[in-house]
């Protein structure tokens, strides 16, 4: 059945569902932007070694964190997501171990989950020392819970054992101000979705009126 030839009441049912999704997305994004503004209004959370990280005390507004750990850059993997030859996403993923870890056989306490490209210079700027087997890095960023970020980690880190409740951190590779800057892209998409819902409702009403006129003729 063609999407343009369904019964008018199907469109009447679809329209509020699409509109509700747009509203949910808009509210969610507005909450994220409010969190970013609150974070920027204050200081970054105090840096804490990852083995002492406490989710009840060491997470700031906008899910901001500031951790120190050994990042095994030798095992960093770059992943790309493409669709019809067009890149849709890029991630650089590496396991994070305790500062005092002696080797990389222990549990992975966190994941360096950079969404996007990152240069050697940007990585070097986060290094503050040398660990037993990897550089010790100070990472200021946000805990990520996005499905695509989690999926990238699952693809990249099949071998290292992730600790329970491991942190997935998307670092501020261009600095804190840039990382917490407002972004209206998602809000624009939400408004477009709401506009589509109105269009679907209008099209359903058009079909309803046309059918009623055809019956009257």
């Amino acid at each position: 059945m063609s999407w343009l030839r369904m019964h008018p009441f199907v469109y009447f049912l679809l329209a509020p569902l699409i509109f509700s999704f747009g509203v949910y997305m808009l509210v969610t994004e507005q909450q994220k932007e409010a969190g970013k503004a609150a974070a920027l209004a204050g200081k970054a959370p105090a840096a804490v070694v990852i083995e002492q990280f406490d989710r009840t005390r060491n997470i700031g507004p906008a899910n901001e964190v500031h951790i120190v750990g050994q990042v095994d850059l030798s095992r960093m993997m770059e992943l790309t997501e493409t669709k019809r030859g067009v890149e849709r996403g890029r991630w650089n993923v590496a396991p994070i171990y305790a500062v005092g870890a002696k080797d990389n056989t222990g549990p992975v306490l966190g994941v360096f989950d950079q969404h996007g490209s990152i240069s050697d210079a940007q990585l070097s700027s986060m290094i503050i020392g040398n660990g037993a087997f990897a550089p010790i890095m100070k990472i200021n960023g946000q805990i990520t819970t996005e499905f695509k970020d989690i999926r990238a980690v699952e693809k990249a880190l099949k071998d290292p054992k992730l600790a329970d409740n491991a942190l997935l951190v998307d670092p501020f590779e261009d600095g804190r101000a840039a990382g917490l800057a407002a972004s209206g892209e998602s809000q624009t998409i939400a408004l477009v979705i709401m506009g589509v819902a109105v269009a679907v409702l209008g099209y359903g009403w058009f079909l309803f009126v046309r059918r009623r006129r055809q019956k009257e003729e």
Side-chain angles (χ1 to χ4, degrees):
M1 179 184 292
S2 172
W3 283 99
L4 299 178
R5 296 179 181 179
M6 295 186 295
H7 193 280
F9 286 105
V10 175
Y11 298 101
F12 294 157
L13 291 173
L14 284 176
L17 292 176
I18 297 172
F19 191 84
S20 296
F21 176 72
V23 170
Y24 169 78
M25 186 175 179
L26 181 63
V27 171
T28 300
E29 290 305 313
Q30 287 178 337
Q31 290 174 341
K32 287 183 179 179
E33 295 301 326
K36 288 181 180 180
L40 274 177
K43 295 181 179 180
V48 58
V49 293
I50 193 167
E51 56 264 42
Q52 295 179 6
F53 185 85
D54 185 337
R55 288 179 179 267
T56 64
R57 295 187 293 113
N58 302 127
I59 300 178
N63 282 330
E64 184 181 8
V65 294
H66 204 174
I67 62 170
V68 178
Q70 284 192 79
V71 183
D72 194 351
L73 297 181
S74 67
R75 304 181 78 174
M76 175 171 277
M77 181 177 291
E78 183 177 67
L79 301 176
T80 57
E81 181 182 67
T82 59
K83 186 176 182 179
R84 296 177 182 176
V86 178
E87 185 176 306
R88 300 293 185 179
R90 180 181 296 268
W91 292 265
N92 286 274
V93 180
I96 307 174
Y97 297 86
V99 170
K102 301 303 181 183
D103 54 44
N104 61 3
T105 61
V108 177
L109 301 183
V111 180
F112 186 101
D113 189 19
Q114 166 65 32
H115 192 174
S117 299
I118 190 165
S119 67
D120 290 340
Q122 288 170 327
L123 285 171
S124 296
S125 68
M126 302 179 196
I127 296 175
I128 60 173
N130 295 313
F133 64 95
I136 297 174
M137 300 175 68
K138 181 185 289 187
I139 307 166
N140 183 204
Q142 292 174 291
I143 294 177
T144 178
T145 57
E146 297 291 335
F147 173 74
K148 287 187 175 182
D149 295 342
I150 295 173
R151 187 175 62 180
V153 169
E154 291 174 344
K155 287 182 178 180
L157 301 182
K158 295 181 179 179
D159 180 26
K161 173 65 175 177
L162 287 180
D164 293 337
N165 213 23
L167 291 174
L168 273 60
V169 183
D170 187 357
F172 298 144
E173 74 280 6
D174 290 319
R176 185 170 182 263
L180 293 172
S183 172
E185 181 179 352
S186 296
Q187 294 187 54
T188 300
I189 294 174
L191 292 173
V192 169
I193 291 173
M194 294 165 69
V196 169
V198 173
V200 169
L201 180 62
Y203 184 70
W205 179 252
F206 165 76
L207 291 180
F208 176 77
V209 172
R210 187 175 70 175
R211 286 194 176 198
R212 187 169 64 178
R213 288 177 178 175
Q214 289 174 343
K215 288 182 179 180
E216 291 175 352
E217 292 178 353

